[in-house]
Amino acid sequence: MSRSGAAVLGWALLAGALLPPPPVRPQPLPHGQRNVHQKEAQFNTTYIDWVDGNLLNIYAFNHSVRRSTTEGVRVSVNVLSNQKDQPVLFVVRQKEAVVSFQVPLILRGLYQRKYAYQEVSRTLCQPQTKSEMETQYFYVDVSTLSDNTSYQLRVTRVENFVLRTNVRFSFNATAAQPQYFKYEFPEEVDSVIVKVTSPMAFPCSVISIQDILCPVYDLDNNVAFIGMYQTMTKKAAITVQKKDFPSHSFYVVVVVKTEDEACGGPLPYYPLSKNASPDEPVDQHNRQKILEVMVSPAITSEAYVRSVLFCLGIFLSFYILTLLIACWESCRQHKKKGLLAAMDSPSLDTGHSRGIPESFLNHGPYDSYGYGSFGNGSSSSTEGITDSLASAEVSYSYVGQEQFKRRVPSALTRPLSIAMGERSLENVASRPRLDSLSSVEEDDYDTLADIDYDKNVIRTKQYLCVADLARKDKRVLRKKYQIYFWNIATIAVFYALPVIQLVITYQTVVNVTGNQDICYYNFLCAHPLGNLSAFNNILSNLGYVLLGLLFLLIILQREINYNRALLRNDTHALECGIPKHFGLFYAMGTALMMEGLLSACYHVCPNYTNFQFDTSFMYMIAGLCMLKLYQKRHPDINASAYSAYACLALVIFFSVVGVVFGKGNTAFWIVFSVIHIVATLLLSTQLYYMGRWKLDSGILRRILHVLYTDCVRQCSGPMYVDRMVLLVMGNIINWSLAAYGLIVRPNDFASYLLAIGICNLLLYFAFYIIMKLRSGERIKLIPLLCIISTSVVWGFALFFFFQGLSTWQKTPAESREHNRDCILLDFFDDHDIWHFLSSIAMFGSFLVLLTLDDDLDCVQRDKIYVF
């Protein structure tokens, strides 16, 4: 043999020695017996082999495990033969766990649809070791009942299996190739936030946090068995606390779902061939998602304390400011009393008027008091009012006027008489009532009793004054308006208790099941405390409670001062200004406190079904504010507490029905729009005629009569032009809102209903301000500052409200796409700032209603017009 031939033969022998021997097909064995072929296997080596019903392949692996480090091991298989009826079974036997799966891997989706995957990869659970270094063995068994099935097997180590703090790591995952990683808490860290992001919304995936246990649940059909989990499109974030994991470590599991329906995606339609069975599994091919995970430390306990103190400091400063203003007012009142006491001194110079309060001397303009476009000057209208009060039946003594006259020098008697609107003693001492307008019934109906026999649309007097509608006994009215407070207190107790019980149940379900899709938090800024998942959203509602309590204290102080003035027969308290009734104010303050409580309950677990808890007392606040505005100029004919709360209960009823049945229900929206329009027309009639009409069988006849007399017989304009303008604008706005709801049919019915109430409240408030200014009245400095500052605060509050950090109108995964990091003290997010600002703005709005008519405190009620 030549030298070159020998060389070729040598290389051939060497190559044959290095290559693995070809598989030897074993001979068929008797029934029940199987050939076992075991081989030592290596990491990072691809094994292409075959298996049949008579063969069991066993691959033995070993690797060194250190106690101080953790390495992930991943098994990847691919069945090359397409035999779906007889899959290949892979069993991985470890020290403390056994993992088995078949290929093709069959996973089920919605409606039990089957999806088959030929390529499967699983990360093995890592048993703990007590020694410094240990060699661990594991085996991969491959078996099947089919005839001669080929496959590929590869075992590798996972890079970056242990996640590091504040270090991003990118990876790919599919439904049959899930990924999970380990994180170990550093010594100084008590809680962390696991953030997972993806540039692609679909395919839908699931993020799970599981304890270090074997086996790890990392498939779509079992990932929800233990731990905490969220569905995900582009963002997911889970706050993990060290105290919940005894080993101070956990797994971050990422699973791609077989379908996108859970994340708001469409359910795919896979056409089946004619010969295929309906149960035939569908091959999804390469359904892969690119993800990135990062674990960062959460805030410390010091941040919790700092945030609580910050929150308390903001709202307690309002208490301090209120106390300072009260002290200033008290000092000013004592100074004024000192000046009045000095007037009794014998050394009083009658040529000086410094002892007379400026509020008396500066009321000359009220002698020419006009009523906007209605009046021809106050002289005629005032005389008309005076003349109409000629027949006296109810005596309202003008107590204190004569005593005050004796204290004022004679040189000032004439201007003082003008300032106080003094008339003859007969007209002042005995204040009469209008037979056609006054109310002598001591009931709670908002009627004018002397025309109860027929509430037809009548015109008895063109210009009404507050004195005409403030004729009921003060004790009766006080009792009537106190019912508002006691009723809302009762409603608050019986409404809040089941709400608190329900949200505690929600939170318990979240904590027990680990399903964080139940509640729509801003997970990037959700700081847990105890069993509460988002303590910051609850803490920020403290402002409603504290400011509501402060408003109640302000009302209490005003009522005490007013009662003291009544006891000393103060002229201003008896005969001047808007009649003081505090029941509605107490109800408003209580409603503000309950809004804070129920908003906190809603944010325990915000979702679609309990959003009504957050809005119920918003409806009440809007309704009570409108009632208070109306009561200012109509103290005798305001609605009773029972009818008012019945209407508010009806609103809440529609809110619940809208939440349950209103989503895309055309019939519901038609019915609601019709009720909305009819209610608007009825309320417009009630406001325009000030209750002097009656809804009965003769209403159509009276409407036709009015149309004939005012439009056919003679074309006359409306008697109350300004009121008509308000009601026309109100009907246009409400009809537009009804049309919008009928056409668009928004999913958030509760917010839509609240928008209707707020729009009507703002419209009525604007009308009140315009009519007040047109009537010659003025707005004092304090209410003007309240209006300006409150408007600015409302503007900023609405800006933060519309940031939309989450929305339960979408799926939980889609809602998390709107999540954003904290922006204040690393503790509060945009919605928390909305809570802060809106509570301050509502408190300021209440102060506006409280102080808006303080300029009339020294004006006689028969000079204050009704509008």
Side-chain angles (χ1 to χ4, degrees):
M1 181 180 293
S2 65
R3 182 175 301 177
S4 61
V8 171
L9 180 60
W11 282 108
L13 293 175
L14 179 61
L18 294 176
L19 290 175
V24 178
R25 183 182 298 276
Q27 297 298 321
L29 297 177
H31 180 70
Q33 298 184 15
R34 175 177 292 185
N35 288 323
V36 178
H37 183 201
Q38 181 171 334
K39 64 182 68 175
E40 297 293 330
Q42 302 294 325
F43 282 79
N44 301 319
T45 302
T46 301
Y47 295 94
I48 302 176
D49 214 332
W50 62 271
V51 69
D52 61 10
N54 297 321
L55 178 64
L56 171 63
N57 291 333
I58 300 177
Y59 299 85
F61 294 86
N62 66 82
H63 64 126
S64 298
V65 178
R66 296 177 181 272
R67 186 173 59 184
S68 58
T69 60
T70 304
E71 292 182 349
V73 176
R74 190 167 179 85
V75 176
S76 301
V77 299
N78 182 17
V79 174
L80 304 177
S81 302
N82 189 13
Q83 297 182 6
K84 298 180 181 179
D85 294 337
Q86 294 177 330
V88 179
L89 179 64
F90 294 85
V91 179
V92 182
R93 294 176 287 133
Q94 296 179 258
K95 179 180 178 180
E96 295 180 4
V98 175
V99 178
S100 63
F101 54 90
Q102 68 177 40
V103 182
L105 178 65
I106 305 298
L107 297 176
R108 294 184 181 271
L110 197 63
Y111 310 119
Q112 296 299 312
R113 300 174 70 169
K114 297 180 180 179
Y115 299 94
Y117 300 91
Q118 296 292 120
E119 298 183 20
V120 179
S121 296
R122 304 289 297 276
T123 302
L124 302 183
C125 181
Q126 296 303 300
Q128 298 293 323
T129 178
K130 297 181 179 180
S131 59
E132 185 65 28
M133 179 179 290
E134 178 184 351
T135 300
Q136 293 185 353
Y137 296 87
F138 66 93
Y139 304 89
V140 180
D141 301 347
V142 185
S143 61
T144 185
L145 295 180
S146 64
D147 297 331
N148 193 11
T149 301
S150 300
Y151 63 89
Q152 290 181 351
L153 172 66
R154 183 180 179 87
V155 177
T156 58
R157 289 182 172 87
V158 180
E159 296 182 1
N160 299 315
F161 180 73
V162 179
L163 299 174
R164 291 179 291 173
T165 305
N166 291 326
V167 176
R168 297 180 182 273
F169 176 66
S170 300
F171 59 94
N172 298 336
T174 68
Q177 298 174 344
Q179 297 268 15
Y180 68 85
F181 307 93
K182 183 179 181 181
Y183 180 80
E184 299 175 348
F185 281 96
E187 290 294 331
E188 69 280 0
V189 176
D190 294 326
S191 63
V192 295
I193 300 178
V194 180
K195 301 177 183 178
V196 184
T197 58
S198 175
M200 49 201 303
F202 299 105
C204 177
S205 57
V206 177
I207 311 303
S208 175
I209 303 297
Q210 301 180 18
D211 202 355
I212 306 297
L213 297 173
C214 294
V216 178
Y217 296 93
D218 58 349
L219 291 177
D220 186 22
N221 55 8
N222 62 18
V223 69
F225 286 178
I226 63 172
M228 301 176 289
Y229 63 93
Q230 298 177 1
T231 55
M232 171 190 165
T233 52
K234 291 184 177 181
K235 288 182 182 180
I238 301 179
T239 300
V240 185
Q241 299 183 10
K242 181 190 289 186
K243 65 181 182 62
D244 296 331
F245 297 92
S247 63
H248 295 171
S249 57
F250 57 87
Y251 286 136
V252 180
V253 184
V254 181
V255 177
V256 175
K257 295 185 70 64
T258 57
E259 296 171 343
D260 298 330
E261 188 269 342
C263 294
L267 185 64
Y269 171 72
Y270 296 102
L272 300 175
S273 62
K274 293 182 179 180
N275 298 327
S277 170
D279 294 332
E280 184 74 15
V282 177
D283 188 1
Q284 289 190 315
H285 305 290
N286 189 23
R287 182 179 165 86
Q288 183 172 321
K289 188 166 187 174
I290 302 173
L291 301 112
E292 186 177 77
V293 61
M294 185 180 73
V295 182
S296 57
I299 62 173
T300 61
S301 57
E302 289 78 9
Y304 281 82
V305 176
R306 182 172 63 250
S307 301
V308 171
L309 294 178
F310 171 79
C311 188
L312 289 174
I314 288 178
F315 299 110
L316 292 181
S317 64
F318 283 88
Y319 282 77
I320 298 174
L321 181 61
T322 303
L323 183 61
L324 293 176
I325 294 176
C327 293
W328 176 75
E329 283 284 344
S330 178
C331 293
R332 192 169 65 89
Q333 292 295 331
H334 283 297
K335 183 178 180 181
K336 186 177 295 185
K337 289 180 180 180
L339 291 174
L340 288 175
M343 294 175 61
D344 291 333
S345 175
S347 60
L348 177 65
D349 185 1
T350 58
H352 293 78
S353 60
R354 63 180 181 272
I356 302 174
E358 294 180 2
S359 57
F360 278 85
L361 295 178
N362 295 332
H363 282 300
Y366 286 101
D367 291 342
S368 57
Y369 206 85
Y371 189 55
S373 61
F374 292 169
N376 299 321
S378 69
S379 58
S380 60
S381 61
T382 305
E383 290 173 3
I385 295 172
T386 305
D387 295 339
S388 66
L389 300 176
S391 58
E393 289 184 13
V394 180
S395 177
Y396 279 69
S397 60
Y398 205 72
V399 181
Q401 182 179 358
E402 293 299 324
Q403 293 88 330
F404 188 82
K405 278 185 174 183
R406 288 195 295 269
R407 298 171 60 186
V408 179
S410 59
L412 301 177
T413 304
R414 179 176 175 81
L416 180 60
S417 301
I418 296 175
M420 298 180 63
E422 181 182 355
R423 297 191 298 270
S424 62
L425 293 177
E426 293 80 10
N427 289 335
V428 174
S430 299
R431 188 66 57 85
R433 71 175 178 91
L434 286 172
D435 288 338
S436 59
L437 292 177
S438 63
S439 174
V440 296
E441 296 283 339
E442 293 189 0
D443 53 39
D444 287 329
Y445 295 98
D446 50 339
T447 62
L448 299 174
D450 46 87
I451 57 170
D452 264 347
Y453 65 93
D454 186 9
K455 284 188 179 179
N456 197 357
V457 179
I458 60 173
R459 298 177 176 89
T460 58
K461 184 177 179 181
Q462 185 173 5
Y463 310 124
L464 292 177
C465 297
V466 171
D468 301 325
L469 301 179
R471 317 310 297 267
K472 276 189 177 182
D473 185 84
K474 292 180 177 60
R475 293 169 298 176
V476 175
L477 289 177
R478 181 179 301 178
K479 180 180 178 181
K480 172 181 177 179
Y481 292 121
Q482 284 177 346
I483 296 177
Y484 277 95
F485 167 71
W486 293 113
N487 278 8
I488 201 170
T490 305
I491 292 170
V493 171
F494 284 94
Y495 191 91
L497 289 179
V499 169
I500 294 173
Q501 181 182 9
L502 181 61
V503 296
I504 290 175
T505 303
Y506 268 114
Q507 185 67 75
T508 303
V509 171
V510 172
N511 295 339
V512 171
T513 65
N515 183 5
Q516 298 200 350
D517 284 353
I518 297 176
C519 307
Y520 287 72
Y521 303 114
N522 175 19
F523 287 91
L524 290 177
C525 187
H527 305 297
L529 181 65
N531 291 327
L532 300 175
S533 298
F535 174 70
N536 55 302
N537 293 148
I538 299 173
L539 176 64
S540 58
N541 288 284
L542 184 63
Y544 296 104
V545 179
L546 292 181
L547 294 182
L549 178 60
L550 177 59
F551 185 73
L552 292 180
L553 295 177
I554 293 174
I555 298 303
L556 178 61
Q557 188 263 346
R558 282 214 167 196
E559 185 178 20
I560 292 174
N561 291 342
Y562 177 69
N563 290 335
R564 289 175 179 174
L566 291 178
L567 290 176
R568 64 174 181 265
N569 294 325
D570 185 88
T571 303
H572 290 172
L574 291 170
E575 294 295 332
C576 297
I578 299 294
K580 302 294 189 296
H581 301 297
F582 301 97
L584 276 170
F585 282 128
Y586 282 119
M588 289 162 57
T590 305
L592 183 58
M593 296 177 66
M594 289 306 303
E595 171 58 31
L597 176 62
L598 292 181
S599 178
C601 291
Y602 162 70
H603 284 91
V604 169
C605 182
N607 56 48
Y608 180 73
T609 57
N610 61 17
F611 181 64
Q612 56 184 305
F613 305 153
D614 193 23
T615 55
S616 296
F617 274 83
M618 290 184 184
Y619 303 140
M620 291 200 175
I621 289 173
L624 291 173
C625 289
M626 282 190 281
L627 284 173
K628 187 58 190 178
L629 275 174
Y630 188 78
Q631 183 233 342
K632 280 177 172 288
R633 305 286 169 150
H634 312 81
D636 275 7
I637 63 172
N638 204 2
S640 69
Y642 306 111
S643 58
Y645 286 126
C647 293
L648 293 174
L650 187 63
V651 171
I652 296 176
F653 170 77
F654 275 109
S655 174
V656 175
V657 173
V659 168
V660 177
F661 302 105
K663 194 172 183 179
N665 192 330
T666 305
F668 168 81
W669 282 101
I670 292 175
V671 173
F672 176 78
S673 299
V674 171
I675 294 176
H676 183 192
I677 293 173
V678 172
T680 302
L681 291 175
L682 293 177
L683 184 60
S684 300
T685 306
Q686 177 75 15
L687 292 176
Y688 185 77
Y689 293 109
M690 297 175 60
R692 291 174 289 174
W693 71 290
K694 183 166 59 175
L695 182 63
D696 56 11
S697 59
I699 185 67
L700 293 178
R701 176 179 55 82
R702 293 195 294 272
I703 290 176
L704 293 176
H705 176 72
V706 171
L707 292 176
Y708 173 75
T709 55
D710 289 356
C711 300
V712 179
R713 189 174 179 180
Q714 61 176 4
C715 187
S716 60
M719 177 175 291
Y720 311 110
V721 179
D722 296 306
R723 202 180 305 163
M724 177 61 73
V725 171
L726 164 72
L727 295 175
V728 169
M729 292 178 59
N731 277 270
I732 292 175
I733 293 175
N734 280 277
W735 289 30
S736 300
L737 289 172
Y740 171 82
L742 187 59
I743 295 172
V744 179
R745 282 174 280 180
N747 292 331
D748 190 356
F749 180 79
S751 296
Y752 167 77
L753 194 60
L754 182 61
I756 294 175
I758 292 177
C759 287
N760 283 277
L761 173 60
L762 292 177
L763 179 64
Y764 191 28
F765 181 74
F767 168 78
Y768 192 94
I769 293 292
I770 293 171
M771 290 303 301
K772 180 178 178 65
L773 297 177
R774 292 192 62 185
S775 301
E777 301 173 12
R778 62 188 180 89
I779 300 177
K780 297 182 72 174
L781 179 61
I782 291 181
L784 181 61
L785 291 177
C786 287
I787 291 174
I788 295 174
S789 59
T790 300
S791 301
V792 173
V793 175
W794 269 124
F796 283 103
L798 292 174
F799 169 78
F800 286 102
F801 175 76
F802 287 112
Q803 294 305 303
L805 302 181
S806 61
T807 171
W808 39 255
Q809 300 178 47
K810 300 180 180 179
T811 62
E814 292 174 312
S815 173
R816 277 185 278 273
E817 294 182 15
H818 303 279
N819 290 176
R820 289 212 300 266
D821 293 325
C822 306
I823 62 174
L824 180 62
L825 300 177
D826 291 329
F827 193 84
F828 299 110
D829 59 15
D830 299 73
H831 197 74
D832 294 323
I833 297 179
W834 149 255
H835 287 161
F836 291 147
L837 296 180
S838 62
S839 61
I840 295 172
M842 293 179 74
F843 175 71
S845 302
F846 289 0
L847 291 182
V848 170
L849 291 179
L850 179 63
T851 61
L852 185 58
D853 290 315
D854 283 356
D855 60 303
L856 303 178
D857 284 347
C858 297
V859 181
Q860 289 182 221
R861 290 170 188 166
D862 56 4
K863 288 182 174 294
I864 303 175
Y865 283 94
V866 173
F867 45 80

